[in-house]
Amino acid sequence: MSDHPRGCEAGPHHRPITVPCGATAPLHPVGQYRCLPCAPSPGDPVTCSTLTQSSAPRAGPPPPCRAGAPRRRTGAAPPPSHLGAPPVPDPAPPPRPRYHGPAEMAAAPAAERPKTSPKSVKFLFGGLAGMGATVFVQPLDLVKNRMQLSGAGAKGREYRTSLHALGSILRHEGLRGIYTGLSAGLLRQATYTTTRLGIYSVLLERFGGADGTPPPFLAKAAMGMTAGAAGAFVGTPAEVALIRMTADGRLPPGERRGYQNVFDALVRMAREEGVLTLWRGCIPTMARAVVVNAAQLASYSQSKQFLLDSGHFRDDILCHFCASMISGLVTTAASMPVDIVKTRIQNMRTIDGKPEYRNGLDVLLKVVRYEGFFSLWKGFTPYYARLGPHTVLTFIFLEQMNKWYQRLFLSA
């Protein structure tokens, strides 16, 4: 059989291919071609020098070939006669990336895995973020503690509202009075927040997906509770010192403890009341931390993930702010009853060898009996006013430090 069957004429720019007459030729990078039926009968193998381009296979038999006039698709411009070679095919699409499972990620060389900051840096950034936030919210922490202690011991309430408490503190203790206990607050963040955020970051990285997907909500809640309990145990001595220092101004001058700073408070408590006093109220402190961290850390991660998935937010300060405010509201509602138990136990005195409260349950019962059920949420406004901004500032500082560390030390 000749290269050019009867009735088909090949120009210098046509490249012959051999296919059954009437069949669809292989896909061309530009489109799909159909062989013209230049042979006498369908099914005979022929060599067609002319192909008709179409975007989809045509239904029914192809049109007959016209001798001396190769058929082309409608609207197609004829190939330039000065080209002596067929057009260069478009480059093939890049191969689809293959999914790497956790085992492959673990077995991959260290150079192929994404770089993360060391664990020591995670702990350091957690503490610095909390300390930076405390500088701004210490006055709110002071008002919250005073409100929770107001009315203790079946006495009348000392403060009607949070604004009344703030005004009374400014009148009687001056501007410096609203920053009473700042050193204890900074030490608490250096111990408690460093531990809890550091452990949470490590757990989040350890149990997250190999492709960077975060763990499910319940897993994040469990991680938050574990991190919070560990941090609370480490930070309880500073917590006791903070409660006592912020409560000192409400006592008569003769009954005040008069701690100069957090280190003076820790030394005197250990010397005058025993070392175990430093961990007084450790159980309710850890219980409060479990509730706070389960709500705060998990709800922050979940809120941030929800905001990003909505498509209306990017991973920037506005997203961090909104997620932090949602997290702070959830945390305030969930943790206030446990927090008032912790505050009352850590500030209680021993009178005639008997403590004011036997345990946390005794605190709850006495508060409900003498002050009313909703007194368990006493100081809600300063609590949220303190916890909301503290959560916002802590996570904003933490995110920014992580971002700068990534840019300065890991991006190279």
Side-chain angles (χ1 to χ4, degrees):
M1 180 166 31
S2 64
D3 288 339
H4 306 296
R6 184 180 55 188
C8 288
E9 226 177 319
H13 50 271
H14 293 157
R15 182 174 59 184
I17 59 173
T18 301
V19 293
C21 190
T24 300
L27 270 179
H28 187 272
V30 178
Q32 187 166 335
Y33 290 80
R34 187 180 293 275
C35 177
L36 292 177
C38 301
S41 60
D44 293 342
V46 296
T47 302
C48 283
S49 59
T50 306
L51 301 176
T52 300
Q53 186 182 26
S54 62
S55 59
R58 190 177 300 175
C65 179
R66 205 162 43 124
R71 187 181 184 88
R72 306 185 189 280
R73 68 183 177 92
T74 304
S81 59
H82 65 276
L83 296 179
V88 179
D90 294 341
R96 188 176 181 180
R98 188 171 64 88
Y99 172 74
H100 297 280
E104 291 175 294
M105 290 291 291
E112 298 180 6
R113 294 195 296 266
K115 295 180 180 180
T116 58
S117 55
K119 293 181 176 61
S120 57
V121 174
K122 291 184 174 67
F123 279 66
L124 176 64
F125 285 174
L128 290 177
M131 293 172 72
T134 296
V135 174
F136 292 92
V137 303
Q138 177 61 27
L140 298 172
D141 206 11
L142 173 68
V143 174
K144 185 266 297 184
N145 290 337
R146 293 285 181 92
M147 289 292 294
Q148 289 183 331
L149 293 171
S150 176
K155 299 177 181 178
R157 289 191 176 186
E158 301 168 56
Y159 310 112
R160 297 187 300 273
T161 63
S162 301
L163 290 177
H164 178 231
L166 180 61
S168 177
I169 293 170
L170 288 173
R171 280 196 309 272
H172 296 96
E173 303 173 47
L175 190 61
R176 292 184 58 185
I178 63 174
Y179 271 93
T180 301
L182 178 60
S183 61
L186 294 175
L187 181 62
R188 178 181 66 173
Q189 298 301 324
T191 53
Y192 167 64
T193 304
T194 299
T195 304
R196 76 182 178 102
L197 285 182
I199 291 178
Y200 182 76
S201 299
V202 172
L203 292 176
L204 195 65
E205 180 182 331
R206 172 65 179 83
F207 294 100
D211 56 350
T213 56
F217 178 79
L218 292 179
K220 286 186 287 191
M223 294 176 196
M225 289 187 286
T226 302
F233 181 82
V234 175
T236 296
E239 187 84 30
V240 176
L242 174 66
I243 296 299
R244 292 190 174 195
M245 292 179 72
T246 54
D248 219 25
R250 59 183 285 273
L251 299 174
E255 299 180 13
R256 295 177 183 175
R257 298 180 174 99
Y259 299 133
Q260 300 299 316
N261 51 60
V262 62
F263 300 106
D264 179 50
L266 295 176
V267 171
R268 284 181 52 187
M269 280 190 291
R271 185 174 62 242
E272 297 171 5
E273 305 175 53
V275 176
L276 292 181
T277 305
L278 299 177
W279 276 269
R280 175 179 289 177
C282 180
I283 299 301
T285 302
M286 294 176 68
R288 170 193 174 273
V290 167
V291 175
V292 166
N293 286 275
Q296 186 184 66
L297 293 173
S299 62
Y300 174 80
S301 299
Q302 196 73 12
S303 300
K304 179 182 174 183
Q305 183 178 338
F306 173 78
L307 293 175
L308 291 175
D309 291 343
S310 69
H312 300 294
F313 291 86
R314 293 180 297 175
D315 193 1
D316 52 15
I317 291 183
L318 177 61
C319 177
H320 304 161
F321 176 83
C322 294
S324 299
M325 292 303 294
I326 297 172
S327 174
L329 183 63
V330 173
T331 304
T332 301
S335 64
M336 280 210 68
V338 188
D339 189 72
I340 196 171
V341 171
K342 173 195 72 68
T343 301
R344 296 273 178 109
I345 287 181
Q346 290 177 336
N347 187 64
M348 71 179 180
R349 292 178 178 272
T350 301
I351 304 173
D352 297 331
K354 295 179 60 178
E356 294 182 56
Y357 307 103
R358 296 190 300 272
N359 48 49
L361 181 60
D362 186 41
V363 175
L364 292 174
L365 293 176
K366 287 185 176 179
V367 169
V368 172
R369 180 184 305 167
Y370 297 113
E371 304 172 46
F373 175 77
F374 289 102
S375 293
L376 296 175
W377 283 269
K378 184 187 296 183
F380 184 93
T381 301
Y383 191 100
Y384 180 66
R386 178 258 176 200
L387 186 61
H390 189 274
T391 305
V392 171
L393 294 171
T394 297
F395 282 110
I396 285 178
F397 291 153
L398 185 62
E399 296 272 5
Q400 295 304 309
M401 285 189 288
N402 284 330
K403 184 179 296 184
W404 279 103
Y405 186 88
Q406 180 81 20
R407 182 179 302 175
L408 295 176
F409 298 102
L410 300 181
S411 59

